[in-house]
Each structure stands twice: as structure tokens, then as C-alpha cells.
């Protein structure tokens, strides 16, 4: 089993869904951090990451190749929808969006066995 985080060889969700959020998350707002030049207007209150609005979706901040070596170019400054989309089973819960995105690129869903066991069991079993 690889020790690399599975998202680093995936990136499917960044090339599958529209990423829309309130404009105040962008650096056009004093407390925003998402680079506004990487966004486009969606409606009077929301923006979308460029490349995710419609059509052949691929976020403009995505680096690398989906299914091989993908990663977010603005990871520390990514918007809330990206922070909220969790890899399946990383925290012990299913993630239908993760499963759906991976399936669209021919990748199997992540399994619970992929993640290290936390808690007392981990200490006992080493
Ligand atoms: S689809 Fe799932 S595994 Fe792939 S990058 Fe997104 S969260 Fe990570
Ligand atoms: S901002 Fe980063 S995490 Fe969000 S969709 Fe784009 S590449 Fe993916």
C-alpha cells in the first residue's frame, strides 16, 4: 500500500464539479484568500473557480494529470467547497462526491482499509 495521500494521484473532483462560493472568500475581500484572478463571476454574490463553470471541467488551479500526479496549486488558499469535499473514508465517513468523481475517470472508490486506524486499536496492533 502506498503511503502517499490518495488525492495526490487523483485530482478527479477538481475536474468534475463546478466550484462556486461567495465572493468574500476571494482576496477582493479584506479577509478572503482565494486569488480572485482565478475566479469568474457566477451571480451577484458568488464566483466560480475558472475552468469549473461549465463544459469540459478542469479547475484552473489544478496542477498535473488527473489520475496520475494531480495537486491543487493554491492548496492553502483553496475555497470552502474544496475544503468540505473529503476523500472517502479519510475521517471514517463515505464521500459520494469523491466516489462519483473518481468513477468518472475510471478509478475505483477509496476504501476504508486505505486509511490508518486511529485510536487505541492502532497502538495495540502497531
Ligand atoms: S476525488 Fe476523492 S481522492 Fe480524488 S482528489 Fe478528490 S477527494 Fe481526493
Ligand atoms: S481550487 Fe484547488 S482543490 Fe479546489 S477545485 Fe481547484 S484545484 Fe481543486
Amino acid at each position: 500500500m502506498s503511503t502517499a495521500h490518495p488525492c495526490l494521484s487523483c485530482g478527479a473532483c477538481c475536474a468534475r464539479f463546478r466550484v462556486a462560493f461567495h465572493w468574500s472568500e476571494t482576496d477582493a475581500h479584506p479577509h478572503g484568500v482565494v486569488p480572485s484572478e482565478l475566479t469568474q463571476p457566477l451571480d451577484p454574490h458568488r464566483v466560480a473557480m475558472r475552468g469549473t463553470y461549465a463544459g469540459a471541467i478542469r479547475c484552473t488551479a489544478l496542477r498535473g494529470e488527473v489520475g496520475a500526479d494531480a495537486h491543487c496549486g493554491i492548496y492553502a488558499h483553496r475555497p470552502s467547497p474544496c475544503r468540505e469535499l473529503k476523500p472517502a473514508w479519510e475521517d471514517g465517513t463515505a464521500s459520494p462526491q469523491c466516489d462519483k468523481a473518481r468513477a468518472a475517470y475510471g478509478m475505483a472508490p477509496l476504501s476504508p482499509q486505505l486509511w490508518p486506524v486511529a485510536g487505541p486499536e492502532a497502538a495495540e496492533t502497531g
Side-chain angles (χ1 to χ4, degrees):
M1 183 175 72
S2 169
T3 55
H5 194 284
C7 290
L8 295 175
S9 57
C10 181
C13 56
C14 309
R16 183 62 182 170
F17 305 119
R18 180 184 293 175
V19 180
F21 49 97
H22 196 267
W23 74 270
S24 62
E25 291 190 42
T26 75
D27 58 13
H29 185 278
H31 301 301
V33 295
V34 182
S36 52
E37 69 271 19
L38 301 184
T39 69
Q40 66 181 98
L42 184 61
D43 62 31
H45 303 290
R46 295 182 302 161
V47 296
M49 289 303 296
R50 290 191 183 278
T52 73
Y53 181 77
I57 289 176
R58 181 186 163 105
C59 178
T60 192
L62 182 62
R63 300 289 176 263
E65 183 184 345
V66 173
D69 63 350
H71 70 275
C72 176
I74 58 164
Y75 189 77
H77 294 160
R78 67 198 191 285
S80 56
C82 309
R83 297 174 186 276
E84 289 160 7
L85 200 166
K86 304 292 187 190
W89 307 111
E90 184 177 39
D91 63 359
T93 59
S95 175
Q97 281 186 299
C98 175
D99 292 351
K100 192 183 298 184
R102 289 179 62 88
Y105 285 89
M107 288 182 277
L110 301 180
S111 70
Q113 291 74 30
L114 187 68
W115 305 101
V117 177
E121 297 89 349
E124 288 167 14
T125 59

